[in-house]
Amino acid sequence: MTIDISALTLAQKASLLSGQDFWSTKAIEEFGIPSIVLTDGPHGIRRQDGEADHLGINDALPSTCFPPAVAVGSSWDPDVAAQLGAAVGREANAFGVAVVLGPGVNIKRSPLCGRNFEYYSEDPLISGVLGAAHVNAMQAVGPGASVKHFAANNQEHERMRISADVDERTLREIYLPAFERIVTEAAPATVMASYNKINGVYASHNPWLLTEVLRDEWGFEGAVVSDWGAVSDRVAGVAAGMDLEMPGSGGATDQAIVDAVTRGELSEALVDDAVRRVLALTARHRTSTGQFDVDSHHALARQLAADSVVLLKNDGDVLPISNVSRVAVIGSFATEPRFQGGGSSHINPTRTDAALDTIRDLALERGITVEHADGFTLAEDPDVDKRRALAVEVAARSDVTIVFAGLSDREESEGFDRETLSLPTAQLAVIRDVAAVSARTVVVLSNGGVVSLEGWHDDVDAILEGWLLGQAGGSAIADVLFGVVNPSGHLAETIPLRLQDNPSWNNFPGEQGHVRYGEGVMVGYRHYTTADVPVRYPFGHGLSYTTFATTALVTEITGPDTATARVTVTNTGARTGKHVVQVYVATTAGPVRRPVRELRAFRKVTLEPGETQTVELALDRRAFAYWDIELDRWVVAPGEYTVQIGESSASIFAEETLALTGDVIIRPLTMDSTVGDWFAHPRVGPALMQGLTAGMSEEQAQQADQNPDGLKMVESMPMQQFLAFTGGAFPVEMLEQLMTLSYTTEDQDAVNELV
Ligand code: BGC
């Protein structure tokens, strides 16, 4: 039904622009405008029917807790994200939810961010591809998405008021592309404006962000929703393109909008634009279907979780567990799994699987006995030594010991950042003491953010990074431990040797209201590879129970500045497995410092033993481009680009170099351009050089030839100063005429004639 908004009063229109309560918008019955429900998100539905809150404190109705984004990121599989998105969409329909708040696609700038479990990766391509798959699949079954938190919300410390001070190239290349991809490829119903400021301006009333970039450049047609309580200046927000304030303000901000229009400070046309977008959103209104398939969603949660586990280390093929008779399981995470993070995404699960139960089932089928000991508790423990000693006893009489270690909600959550990467000391002691007596030791980790493996990594045989895997995570881990599922996850974030090695270290979490993104584009592996800083496990790393051979890399230029990379992948082992082809691009072309390599395409394929597949990946223009701050746009610099196939960001095993024509860029010359700029100018430079040498005696020309550093010394001098120092090396009139000719592409004759 189309609503004629000119029939609405200004007050009615303003009332549509903020929530009625915590989770719903206002209805206007006489016009048939329904109230719709927006709720969290992202990896399950948090539908509260009692006391409402935005930190997951009060109860919600039971729904399936699917793997949080940290796990999905490690799957490197858009199909995992899509299946999850569709299932969350079906549950949203069951609860009558019109908009699900997610996915969260902020970049993991620091491993300390308390909310990293809700984000996919330190890399924008992974974040964008998985986010777009989630949104497309979810919206196809009904509810709209709310891609969050737009933008540069990469920490919890002071999240509601800190200014993320980020240069534009870094925003464009690192912090915005995931949003851009999702907006352009999946048309999310809403985008959520974050709490923080960007370069001093709150995201929720930032016209550059919400109108220029989001709408004018990317063509976003949906509604912008504020993060819960993110509005600081409602009137400025409407003018900037922030349509719906959530939750409600009890009418105060609606009145502020009415007053601003009445006083002539806010154009009513802008209010109408926002109203139109909110009305379009209300078309997603739905009545609850009341039902979803609890069992099949739990089974799906188990499958998606198993696809996300990362096998970091597997010395002597200790995993999958076989040919043993006694297994020890240590750690309370095996009986009381930690499978989700704290805060607004907290789901009241329909059920939970403890790893120990499934381990017992799978062990029984294989005639293996299982013994369990807690080893440690998560709270203060007066019996810490006794508990550890018991675990050591159990481990000593086993063929394999599996230690379940990890972080609790106390150590990481929405709302605060971590201060250390270390596991709690009681757990470190258990891992070391158990490893000292056990024949073989496997560590399974449950953590939302990266934990340090130092101090115990070399003592153990295998490490499974389980992240937070959702309500069926316990079973999924058992499936991987026993080889029911072959692990296929890869790190979507680096595990460093030391926290201090992380590029944000000196600038995290900021001070005096500002966090300076001083590392620029060198985020995560971009830094570690460029600065050659050793890490424990690089971005992209992940082992399998089978082996793969990747051969026959062929690259081909397919158009102006686009290409494809083709490889042949063979499963050379004895088990079915999934392999990720990782394509990086490396270049030094252009005027800006590029990371040593950047992930530009990836694809996960399933291969039976002995099976071979040819995988072709497209590299679009953006795969080669950088953001040019002088031209304010993407530029492909002419030059060489090496396409690399890696098993991680640190290990490249095949590469081919392409020469790209790139963009012909003629930057206008001014008297402030350097001597180097003048000589490098494609039309003026050669003429100038010729003119210079033409006027020289043979002896001078020879001297100049023998002293190429002569030009180098003055290269960075602006022409203005150069003239002053040289007493007018070139006639000013000539330079002035050259300047006017410098930005045209014709008139080479005129240039030649002048010099
Ligand atoms: C979070 C959002 C969430 C909202 C509603 C906020 O505190 O930042 O991610 O969707 O609350 O619960």
Side-chain angles (χ1 to χ4, degrees):
M1 160 179 168
T2 18
I3 291 144
D4 173 15
I5 63 167
S6 64
L8 299 174
T9 64
L10 177 60
Q12 282 173 321
K13 289 192 281 193
S15 78
L16 291 171
L17 303 185
S18 69
Q20 160 178 282
D21 53 33
F22 230 83
W23 302 122
S24 60
T25 62
K26 299 190 197 95
I28 305 183
E29 266 158 35
E30 54 179 303
F31 290 101
I33 300 171
S35 161
I36 58 164
V37 172
L38 303 86
T39 199
D40 296 299
H43 47 264
I45 300 297
R46 184 167 68 97
R47 182 78 183 105
Q48 294 182 314
D49 64 349
E51 278 286 288
D53 72 281
H54 66 303
L55 288 174
I57 298 162
N58 296 304
D59 265 356
L61 299 168
S63 68
T64 311
C65 179
F66 290 98
V70 60
V72 178
S74 294
S75 76
W76 286 57
D77 191 351
D79 199 42
V80 165
Q83 291 195 58
L84 187 154
V88 169
R90 289 192 291 273
E91 296 198 17
N93 289 343
F95 290 110
V97 173
V99 175
V100 185
L101 307 177
V105 296
N106 296 102
I107 295 296
K108 302 188 195 202
R109 173 175 178 248
S110 164
L112 295 178
C113 173
R115 221 173 167 182
N116 274 356
F117 71 89
E118 257 189 271
Y119 304 139
Y120 294 116
S121 177
E122 69 189 20
D123 179 78
L125 180 72
I126 295 196
S127 307
V129 168
L130 297 179
H134 176 119
V135 172
N136 269 324
M138 187 174 81
Q139 295 198 153
V141 301
S146 193
V147 183
K148 64 191 189 182
H149 308 86
F150 192 54
N153 177 188
N154 308 96
Q155 63 187 57
E156 292 302 281
H157 175 79
E158 298 260 12
R159 67 169 167 158
M160 292 191 163
R161 56 177 200 175
I162 198 136
S163 174
D165 296 345
V166 201
D167 67 90
E168 177 139 3
R169 177 179 165 218
T170 300
L171 280 169
R172 297 289 189 159
E173 293 189 20
I174 303 290
Y175 295 100
L176 297 183
F179 292 98
E180 180 182 5
R181 181 178 291 272
I182 297 168
V183 164
T184 54
E185 293 183 2
T190 74
V191 165
M192 186 190 287
S194 57
Y195 287 124
N196 54 292
K197 302 177 192 118
I198 299 168
N199 295 321
V201 184
Y202 275 108
S204 64
H205 62 239
N206 193 320
W208 172 79
L209 186 72
L210 304 182
T211 297
E212 275 179 52
V213 174
L214 180 64
R215 293 199 165 96
D216 298 348
E217 286 184 33
W218 301 348
F220 178 64
E221 287 180 349
V224 174
V225 179
S226 72
D227 197 347
W228 266 230
V231 167
S232 76
D233 181 335
R234 185 63 189 113
V235 174
V238 174
M242 213 294 289
D243 305 315
L244 177 61
E245 173 185 7
M246 287 301 290
S249 65
T253 50
D254 304 348
Q255 188 57 45
I257 293 173
V258 171
D259 292 347
V261 172
T262 317
R263 283 198 299 263
E265 291 161 8
L266 176 69
S267 143
E268 190 161 352
L270 290 171
V271 175
D272 289 352
D273 288 344
V275 168
R276 264 186 224 103
R277 294 189 287 250
V278 170
L279 286 178
L281 195 63
T282 59
R284 290 185 180 266
H285 167 76
R286 56 203 56 241
T287 40
S288 129
T289 62
Q291 275 173 2
F292 62 92
D293 188 338
V294 175
D295 292 338
S296 79
H297 278 192
H298 184 76
L300 177 65
R302 178 172 177 169
Q303 178 203 319
L304 301 180
D307 274 345
S308 305
V309 172
V310 187
L311 179 61
L312 294 175
K313 172 177 182 175
N314 193 20
D315 287 357
D317 290 339
V318 57
L319 294 177
I321 292 168
S322 60
N323 301 325
V324 295
S325 49
R326 297 177 76 90
V327 170
V329 175
I330 309 296
S332 55
F333 288 107
T335 47
E336 290 152 45
R338 176 147 183 270
F339 56 88
Q340 63 175 329
S344 62
S345 66
H346 199 87
I347 301 300
N348 177 11
T350 57
R351 67 180 74 141
T352 50
D353 291 355
L356 184 62
D357 295 338
T358 316
I359 288 175
R360 284 197 197 282
D361 292 346
L362 294 173
L364 191 68
E365 286 167 19
R366 292 161 174 77
I368 301 171
T369 52
V370 176
E371 255 191 291
H372 173 253
D374 274 347
F376 56 85
T377 58
L378 299 179
E380 281 294 304
D381 180 14
D383 295 329
V384 60
D385 294 333
K386 232 168 49 199
R387 213 178 293 276
R388 187 171 67 250
L390 190 65
V392 170
E393 256 176 56
V394 172
R397 53 176 180 258
S398 304
D399 303 316
V400 178
T401 303
I402 309 165
V403 184
F404 282 78
L407 299 178
S408 67
D409 269 350
R410 270 214 322 250
E411 276 112 18
E412 59 178 357
S413 164
E414 176 176 344
F416 62 89
D417 295 319
R418 289 189 297 159
E419 283 169 12
T420 167
L421 297 186
S422 298
L423 284 171
T425 43
Q427 298 186 36
L428 294 175
V430 169
I431 295 174
R432 282 196 214 105
D433 289 3
V434 160
V437 299
S438 180
R440 322 290 299 274
T441 308
V442 177
V443 172
V444 176
L445 293 170
S446 302
N447 48 308
V450 162
V451 293
S452 170
L453 314 183
E454 301 320 301
W456 56 270
H457 174 272
D458 295 348
D459 300 345
V460 304
D461 301 282
I463 305 174
L464 263 192
E465 178 51 273
W467 303 117
L468 303 179
L469 288 173
Q471 67 180 48
S475 298
I477 283 178
D479 289 341
V480 172
L481 287 170
F482 284 89
V484 178
V485 175
N486 189 349
S488 64
H490 289 259
L491 291 178
E493 56 198 295
T494 308
I495 302 182
L497 284 171
R498 309 178 319 151
L499 176 59
Q500 299 92 307
D501 294 336
N502 181 268
S504 72
W505 165 251
N506 282 318
N507 289 300
F508 186 91
E511 54 216 6
Q512 301 196 314
H514 292 264
V515 51
R516 203 167 62 84
Y517 285 34
E519 68 284 2
V521 300
M522 300 295 174
V523 174
Y525 71 89
R526 286 170 165 78
H527 164 73
Y528 297 116
T529 52
T530 306
D532 205 8
V533 175
V535 300
R536 173 50 72 187
Y537 285 113
F539 170 88
H541 170 76
L543 305 175
S544 167
Y545 297 152
T546 187
T547 46
F548 300 95
T550 306
T551 55
L553 168 64
V554 179
T555 55
E556 207 179 310
I557 294 186
T558 48
D561 307 326
T562 60
T564 53
R566 203 166 48 241
V567 287
T568 302
V569 188
T570 305
N571 182 345
T572 49
R575 285 167 183 268
T576 302
K578 296 183 184 179
H579 177 70
V580 178
V581 178
Q582 303 176 27
V583 183
Y584 296 85
V585 172
T587 188
T588 53
V592 298
R593 180 84 179 270
R594 313 287 283 256
V596 150
R597 67 182 59 92
E598 296 181 90
L599 184 75
R600 293 309 196 195
F602 61 94
R603 174 95 44 82
K604 197 168 194 176
V605 289
T606 306
L607 295 167
E608 303 294 324
E611 189 186 340
T612 294
Q613 263 186 45
T614 298
V615 182
E616 185 170 291
L617 293 115
L619 294 165
D620 59 8
R621 211 184 114 77
R622 188 65 78 77
F624 305 105
Y626 71 92
W627 181 265
D628 191 297
I629 56 163
E630 287 181 357
L631 301 170
D632 211 19
R633 68 171 174 89
W634 294 101
V635 169
V636 175
E640 297 204 326
Y641 291 79
T642 305
V643 176
Q644 305 179 321
I645 308 295
E647 59 193 18
S648 74
S649 57
S651 156
I652 301 302
F653 53 81
E655 61 180 36
E656 280 224 337
T657 299
L658 301 169
L660 298 185
T661 325
D663 300 333
V664 181
I665 295 204
I666 303 203
R667 289 173 211 261
L669 293 170
T670 67
M671 290 305 267
D672 200 38
S673 304
T674 63
V675 172
D677 292 338
W678 278 81
F679 279 98
H681 189 278
R683 283 177 326 107
V684 174
L688 211 53
M689 183 56 92
Q690 214 177 19
L692 193 72
T693 43
M696 287 178 177
S697 66
E698 212 168 292
E699 198 184 333
Q700 281 171 321
Q702 239 174 25
Q703 259 176 11
D705 228 24
Q706 282 157 9
N707 181 18
D709 289 348
L711 181 60
K712 215 171 178 149
M713 282 165 60
V714 294
E715 218 169 49
S716 64
M717 220 182 247
M719 186 55 94
Q720 183 79 48
Q721 274 89 333
F722 179 69
L723 288 190
F725 282 123
T726 55
F730 303 109
V732 174
E733 304 73 41
M734 177 188 94
L735 293 177
E736 273 168 359
Q737 279 180 283
L738 284 173
M739 280 192 287
T740 63
L741 291 169
S742 68
Y743 37 88
T744 61
T745 46
E746 296 127 27
D747 290 338
Q748 186 65 50
D749 289 346
V751 170
N752 291 343
E753 226 163 84
L754 273 170
V755 284

